[in-house]
């Protein structure tokens, strides 16, 4: 696939449906923030399009126009695509693992829990970039859809729980932000779990999303019981289920590509 200039595909709604909850908000998020990338099988009159951000990929179009080598850029990613793409995806990678996922939509308002003494729950600000940077490497995914700690801290779409020292105990954010839905992600540091800090951040974030005239959504793996329980407790209700595909290493050598001109 050819990486396109950092701007939305022409007639992006032809390729991806706008105004849908869950990872379907990814194209709108990439178009608005510039974080992520647009791809096509060719620069002019593309037959297949893709959009990627934070390790997530959406594919659309005619898979018969693809060869396995064109999909190499999406190795070790989480791909959402119609079933017609499965043969070429299966040929492109040494493994293709289906992952059952669930999408929830926020339906019930929930009163925020009282944080423990010494913890403050508030909107993230630019000054919090350093605290987000200090999170462990395993936690860096929480800000990857915003291009890093500074992007999330200045986005206006994150809430955090902070201890007296200013360290992050939990953070919730709109991970993929669209015009109608904001798909929520949340992280709690291991030593501060079971203190309802994630719930406090999520409820504050959901109130913020509602005030913006949007609806919060939540997507997680079917086997992720803690995430599903937190979603339910925070007022989310199941909307749909779908299958995402975790790709492995490339099975073929990539074809040489060049960046398309604007």
């Amino acid at each position: 696939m050819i990486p396109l200039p950092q701007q939305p595909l022409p007639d992006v709604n032809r390729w991806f449906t706008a105004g849908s909850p869950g990872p379907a908000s990814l194209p709108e998020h990439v178009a608005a923030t510039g974080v992520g990338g647009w791809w096509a099988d060719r620069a002019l009159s593309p037959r297949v399009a893709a959009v990627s951000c934070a390790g997530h990929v959406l594919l659309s179009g005619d898979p018969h126009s693809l060869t396995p080598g064109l999909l190499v850029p999406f190795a070790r990613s989480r791909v959402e695509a119609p079933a017609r793409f499965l043969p070429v995806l299966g040929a492109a990678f040494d493994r293709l693992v289906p992952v059952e996922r669930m999408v929830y939509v926020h339906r019930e308002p929930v009163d925020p829990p009282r944080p423990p003494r010494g913890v403050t729950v508030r909107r993230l600000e630019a000054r919090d970039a350093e605290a987000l940077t200090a999170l462990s490497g395993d936690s860096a995914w929480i800000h990857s859809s915003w291009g890093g700690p500074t992007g999330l801290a200045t986005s206006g779409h994150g809430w955090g729980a902070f201890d007296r020292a200013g360290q992050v105990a939990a953070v919730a954010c709109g991970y993929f932000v669209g015009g109608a839905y904001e798909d929520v992600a949340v992280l709690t540091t291991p030593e501060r779990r079971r203190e309802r800090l994630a719930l406090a951040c999520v409820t504050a974030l959901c109130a913020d999303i509602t005030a913006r005239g949007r609806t919060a959504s939540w997507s997680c793996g079917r086997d992720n019981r803690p995430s599903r329980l937190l979603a339910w407790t925070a007022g989310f209700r199941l909307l749909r289920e779908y299958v995402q595909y975790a790709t492995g290493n490339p099975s073929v050598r990539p074809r040489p590509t060049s960046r398309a001109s604007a």
Side-chain angles (χ1 to χ4, degrees):
M1 297 283 276
I2 299 171
L4 299 177
Q6 192 62 28
Q7 60 188 31
L9 284 164
D11 192 20
V12 67
N13 290 338
R14 168 193 166 195
W15 299 102
F16 306 103
T17 302
S20 298
S25 297
L26 190 155
E28 295 173 273
H29 181 84
V30 175
T33 66
V35 179
W38 303 93
W39 306 76
D41 64 316
R42 59 190 185 189
L44 299 176
S45 302
R47 298 157 296 181
V48 180
V51 58
S52 62
C53 183
H56 292 259
V57 180
L58 303 186
L59 275 172
S60 178
D62 178 13
H64 300 293
S65 303
L66 290 175
T67 60
L70 289 174
L71 293 172
V72 166
F74 308 132
R76 297 173 295 281
S77 298
R78 288 158 286 179
V79 177
E80 185 177 345
R84 62 182 181 271
F85 280 90
L86 291 181
V88 69
L89 282 168
F93 306 105
D94 62 359
R95 66 181 185 279
L96 188 68
V97 181
V99 181
E100 295 181 326
R101 304 272 297 176
M102 310 179 82
V103 173
Y104 296 78
V105 172
H106 195 247
R107 300 293 192 196
E108 305 290 338
V110 173
D111 292 331
R114 184 188 298 273
R117 180 175 296 181
V119 174
T120 301
V121 176
R122 59 170 174 80
R123 188 196 308 274
L124 296 181
E125 301 172 358
R127 61 190 171 101
D128 298 319
E130 185 176 349
L132 292 171
T133 301
L135 290 169
S136 70
D138 291 342
S139 301
W141 65 269
I142 193 66
H143 47 66
S144 60
S145 68
W146 290 98
T150 299
L152 175 56
T154 59
S155 69
H157 292 275
W159 283 74
F162 296 85
D163 64 17
R164 287 193 178 99
Q167 294 180 320
V168 176
V171 60
C173 66
Y175 202 66
F176 297 132
V177 174
Y181 293 93
E182 298 188 20
D183 203 46
V184 172
V186 62
L187 168 78
T188 305
T189 59
E191 66 274 12
R192 300 308 298 259
R193 289 174 183 164
R194 302 185 185 278
E195 297 181 40
R196 308 188 82 197
L197 298 178
L199 180 60
C201 292
V202 169
T203 53
L205 175 63
C206 287
D208 217 16
I209 292 171
T210 299
R212 284 193 283 271
R214 297 171 178 164
T215 302
S217 67
W218 184 289
S219 52
C220 65
R222 183 184 180 90
D223 61 352
N224 190 341
R225 189 174 182 275
S227 183
R228 292 170 57 187
L229 179 60
L230 177 57
W232 182 269
T233 304
F236 291 81
R237 299 296 179 260
L238 181 64
L239 178 69
R240 68 180 179 93
E241 300 183 41
Y242 71 102
V243 177
Q244 189 179 70
Y245 296 91
T247 62
N249 295 312
S251 295
V252 295
R253 294 178 62 87
R255 291 171 51 185
T257 60
S258 60
R259 181 173 292 275
S261 60

